[in-house]
Amino acid sequence: MSPISVAASQPDVGVLLPAAGQGERAGSGLPKQFRPIAGVPMLLRAIRPFAAHPRVRAIVAALPADAAHAAPTWLAPLLGERLRVVPGGSTRAASVRAALAALDPACTIVLVHDAARPFVEREEIDAVIAAAEQGTGAVAAVPVSDTLKRSADGRRVSGTEPRAGLWRALTPQGFPRRLLEDAYRAAGDLDATDDAALVEAAGGVVVLVPGRTTNIKVTTPDDFAVAEALATT
Ligand code: CTP
Ligand code: MG
């Protein structure tokens, strides 16, 4: 085997899983990322496709501080060098930052994936890795398919917006490690709902890769019903 193919076969992808939110829009009870969907906790569903991926060297999940110090019983046996947990922060960006700081330095490509997206598929992960390896940021995304209305008060429509060229950004999002670290450094204490936005703000190039519409973000109680249906089909 040539030295080049040996190098290419080394797992070099790190995965950050922001999972430290309170899930306020999902209603009271256990934080949404710990709730079962068809019997399997949402965070565990989100971890599995990455844990099974041969390119993934290390995974760091940012959890609420209490859970980081005493992991749920279904998570504790899986923890080790390859899957670690850290306490998250008060914003998503702070949680990503904490996970990034704890990531094995040998990971040169970094993926960020929301624990609230339990139906991520292998193809999406592969597409994001392939694009990030070309040296840019990469975002799994789907084209907007609904007609877009504008309303200032949430009732009276003031206009219809063209949807051509608009995409919904999902996760995973992937980056050459340096690009992501520089973007987070430049962002200071800014929060953002996705990591690509920080890379864009820092002047970095970000490309879209095909995502799946089944890769939903579980946000509201209704989304749990959709998630149960998706998990059992
Ligand atoms: N997240 C995090 N740290 C925070 C806030 C959010 O790690 N301080 C994570 C969530 O756990 C989730 C992802 O970021 O996996 C996307 O956030 P969102 O869907 O908004 O989840 P929550 O912030 O928990 O929900 P809500 O905004 O309804 O409270
Ligand atoms: Mg939130």
Side-chain angles (χ1 to χ4, degrees):
M1 210 185 272
S2 74
I4 288 171
S5 61
V6 169
S9 69
Q10 297 299 315
D12 57 354
V13 174
V15 181
L16 313 179
L17 289 165
Q22 300 299 315
E24 276 166 22
R25 287 169 290 173
S28 57
L30 206 56
K32 64 182 180 182
Q33 62 275 28
F34 298 149
R35 283 190 224 164
I37 297 170
V40 180
M42 194 189 311
L43 172 61
L44 190 52
R45 285 183 180 273
I47 288 174
R48 279 177 174 167
F50 296 98
H53 200 292
R55 286 289 303 276
V56 171
R57 182 182 181 92
I59 303 172
V60 184
L63 302 186
D66 54 342
H69 293 118
T73 51
W74 44 265
L75 184 61
L78 304 176
L79 298 181
E81 242 174 65
R82 191 155 175 264
L83 173 61
R84 301 182 49 200
V85 296
V86 294
S90 58
T91 63
R92 182 187 181 282
S95 296
V96 171
R97 195 189 295 276
L100 183 56
L103 183 67
D104 180 342
C107 298
T108 52
I109 299 284
V110 181
L111 310 187
V112 188
H113 179 68
D114 285 333
R117 293 190 187 272
F119 300 111
V120 56
E121 290 189 13
R122 172 67 182 259
E123 290 69 26
E124 296 173 292
I125 297 170
D126 287 343
V128 169
I129 291 174
E133 277 179 327
Q134 302 302 306
T136 66
V139 178
V142 293
V144 170
S145 58
D146 296 317
T147 298
L148 298 174
K149 298 292 183 191
R150 184 173 292 282
S151 172
D153 62 4
R155 183 168 182 277
R156 189 189 171 99
V157 172
S158 59
T160 298
E161 302 288 332
R163 70 169 173 236
L166 292 183
W167 296 71
R168 293 191 294 116
L170 318 177
T171 68
Q173 304 189 349
F175 311 89
R177 184 179 186 136
R178 175 84 69 80
L179 191 66
L180 188 64
E181 285 177 340
D182 287 352
Y184 267 87
R185 205 170 295 121
D189 285 337
L190 269 185
D191 191 20
T193 52
D194 86 343
D195 310 283
L198 297 180
V199 170
E200 294 156 38
V205 174
V206 174
V207 302
L208 304 174
V209 305
R212 305 278 321 258
T213 52
T214 46
N215 183 5
I216 62 166
K217 183 156 80 68
V218 178
T219 306
T220 65
D222 278 358
D223 295 334
F224 275 91
V226 177
E228 288 286 333
L230 274 172
T232 50
T233 52

